[in-house]
Amino acid sequence: MVPLRASETRLDGRQTYDYRKIKITFGTDYGCCFVDLGKTRVMAQVSCELVAPKENRPNEGIMFFNIELSPMASPAFEQGRQSELSVKLNRQLERCLRNSKCIDTESLCVVSGEKVWQIRVDVHMLNHDGNLMDAASIAAITALCHFRRPDVGIQGDEVTVYSPEERDPIPLSIYHMPISVSFSFFQQGTYLLVDPCEREERVMDGLLMIAMNKHREICSIQSSGGIMLLKDQVMRCSKIASVKVSEITELISKALDNDKKARKAGGRCGFAESIPQERITALKMDETPVEMMDVTDRANDIVQKAEAPPQTVPSPVVPAPGVGQVGQGLQNTWGLEEQEESDNSGEEQEEIKTQMKEKKDENRGGDVVEISDSEEEEVVILHPEAPDKLPKNTGSGSHQKGAATTKKRQKK
C-alpha cells in the first residue's frame, strides 16, 4: 500500500491523508445538526417519545436510526424505495452508535416494563459529494450530544411529562463518541486515500470504514469491494483513523461549547443566526404615508391629462406576395380577389337552381342537371342513343347501358 507522492495531488488539491473542510452548525431546536464535509451536506434530527419497552429488555430504552437518501441530494437516488446503499449505511450507523453502547439506554427507562424513551435519529442527505458514512456518523453523534429530552415526573401510576418552560430538558447520557473514517483503495490496494469524494468513489476498487472513538477503541469495521486486505493494511488504517477521530472529536466539542454559550447568553447560534426565534423569515419595511384626501378629483385630473389610448392596434402589412395574415380586418395578401370568397354564397346557389329549372322546362328531352335538396348525389340524364347511330360491333351490353341511362333515379 503506497501513499501518493507530494507531486501527485488529488483532484481537489488534497494530499493522501487530508480531510475536506468540516463545518458543524445547529438549528433552533435541540437535536438538529447540519454537517458540511466539503460539498457533502447532511442534516440529523433527533426526536423522542414514550413507548412500551421490548419484552427481553424491560429496563432499557430504544434507539432507532434512519438514513434517507432523497433525490434532492443526487439524481442517482430514488424516492420511496430503499437502495442497497441506504441499507448498507443504516446498518453501518447502527453498528457504529447502537452496538457500540455509546449511549446509556438504561437511563432512558421511565417505568420498568411499561414506559421507556425511544430515541429516533433521522439523517437526511441534502447533497451527495462522496463519503456519506463519515458525514452521517458525525451528524448523528453531534445531534445526540446536542439533544435534550423532556423531564418526567412520576407520582404513583401517573407519569407527567414537563414542558421546557416548566423544567429544563435533560441531556442524554453519552459514554463516548464513535466516529467513522472511510478509506478508499485503488489498484488492488496499492494506493490509499482518506475521505474519498464522489468522483473518487466511482473508480475505487474497495472501501474500508472504521468506527473509532478518541480512546482508540474500534467500535465497528466494515470492508466492501472486491479486494482482500492484509493485516498490516488494516493496522495502518486504524492508526490513521485514531488521529482523524481525535481531531473531529475536538471539533465537535468546540461546536457544542460555542452553541451552549450562545444559548446561555440569549443570542442566536448556528443555523438560527439567519432565522429569528419562532418567526417566519420576512422583510421589515417602513410604513409609507399615503394621503387619502380628494382622491376622486385627483384621479379625474390624471385621467384628463393622460393621452387617449389608441382605438385599434395597427397591424403589420406584409407586401411580399404569397404571404398571408390571420385576423379580423386585415389586408388580404394572398393575391386572390375578394369576389372568389362569395362564390359559394346562398343567393348565387338559388340563382343556379332557378337557371337549371328553366333549362329543364325549355329542353324537356335534352341534357339536364338536376340539383336535389335530398342527400343523394347529382343525377345526370343523358340523351338515349338512337339504335341506327350505334356502331355495328356494339353488343347487347351497350344497349343495356343506354337504356339504363335513360331511367331517372327516384327520390327516396
Side-chain angles (χ1 to χ4, degrees), residues 86-275:
S86 64
V87 173
K88 183 178 72 172
L89 293 177
N90 269 295
R91 292 178 179 175
Q92 180 67 12
L93 190 63
E94 289 179 357
R95 294 192 191 101
C96 178
L97 298 178
R98 185 173 62 186
N99 297 351
S100 63
K101 304 293 183 180
C102 65
I103 298 177
D104 184 12
T105 55
E106 293 184 357
S107 64
L108 302 176
C109 178
V110 179
V111 179
S112 178
E114 295 182 5
K115 295 289 183 182
V116 296
W117 286 108
Q118 176 181 340
I119 306 299
R120 179 187 176 95
V121 182
D122 292 295
V123 181
H124 301 270
M125 301 299 174
L126 304 180
N127 190 36
H128 173 38
D129 191 33
N131 203 5
L132 293 176
M133 187 60 221
D134 291 11
S137 66
I138 296 172
I141 192 62
T142 307
L144 287 171
C145 295
H146 187 255
F147 180 67
R148 303 287 188 274
R149 66 171 179 83
D151 195 5
V152 179
I154 303 174
Q155 294 181 355
D157 296 337
E158 295 183 359
V159 178
T160 305
V161 180
Y162 295 99
S163 62
E165 290 78 12
E166 295 175 346
R167 290 189 182 181
D168 292 336
I170 300 175
L172 301 178
S173 178
I174 298 178
Y175 295 136
H176 58 90
M177 292 190 292
I179 296 171
S180 175
V181 180
S182 298
F183 303 88
S184 59
F185 297 92
F186 301 87
Q187 295 184 6
Q188 297 299 320
T190 305
Y191 294 98
L192 165 69
L193 295 179
V194 179
D195 182 23
C197 63
E198 194 266 340
R199 297 175 66 182
E200 292 171 347
E201 286 183 349
R202 291 184 182 180
V203 297
M204 68 182 179
D205 295 334
L207 182 68
L208 177 66
M209 291 183 288
I210 300 177
M212 184 183 295
N213 56 21
K214 66 178 182 180
H215 306 295
R216 297 186 179 181
E217 297 174 349
I218 296 179
C219 302
S220 68
I221 183 169
Q222 180 176 350
S223 175
S224 60
I227 61 171
M228 298 295 293
L229 299 178
L230 301 176
K231 177 183 175 181
D232 295 339
Q233 292 176 320
V234 178
M235 293 300 296
R236 183 176 181 179
C237 291
S238 64
K239 292 180 181 179
I240 298 171
S242 63
V243 178
K244 298 301 179 183
V245 166
S246 300
E247 297 175 356
I248 296 173
T249 303
E250 185 179 357
L251 178 63
I252 293 174
S253 301
K254 288 183 179 179
L256 292 171
D257 292 340
N258 294 336
D259 180 78
K260 185 177 180 181
K261 292 178 182 178
R263 290 178 184 273
K264 189 175 182 179
R268 299 173 182 173
C269 49
F271 184 70
E273 291 178 357
S274 59
I275 300 180

Side-chain angles (χ1 to χ4, degrees), residues 282-298:
L283 299 176
K284 183 178 180 181
M285 299 180 63
D286 297 333
E287 296 181 358
T288 303
V290 179
E291 188 176 354
M292 302 299 293
M293 301 298 292
D294 301 333
V295 177
T296 306
D297 297 339
R298 290 187 179 184

Side-chain angles (χ1 to χ4, degrees), residues 316-366:
V317 178
V318 184
V323 180
Q325 295 180 348
V326 179
Q328 185 178 2
L330 299 179
Q331 184 179 0
N332 184 8
T333 57
W334 288 102
L336 303 176
E337 297 181 359
E338 295 182 357
Q339 295 179 358
E340 296 179 359
E341 298 178 357
S342 61
D343 289 345
N344 297 327
S345 61
E347 296 179 358
E348 294 183 355
Q349 290 182 1
E350 293 294 336
E351 292 178 2
I352 292 173
K353 290 182 179 180
T354 306
Q355 294 176 2
M356 288 310 205
K357 289 181 179 179
E358 291 178 356
K359 290 183 179 180
K360 181 180 178 182
D361 296 339
E362 293 176 358
N363 308 322
R364 295 268 176 141

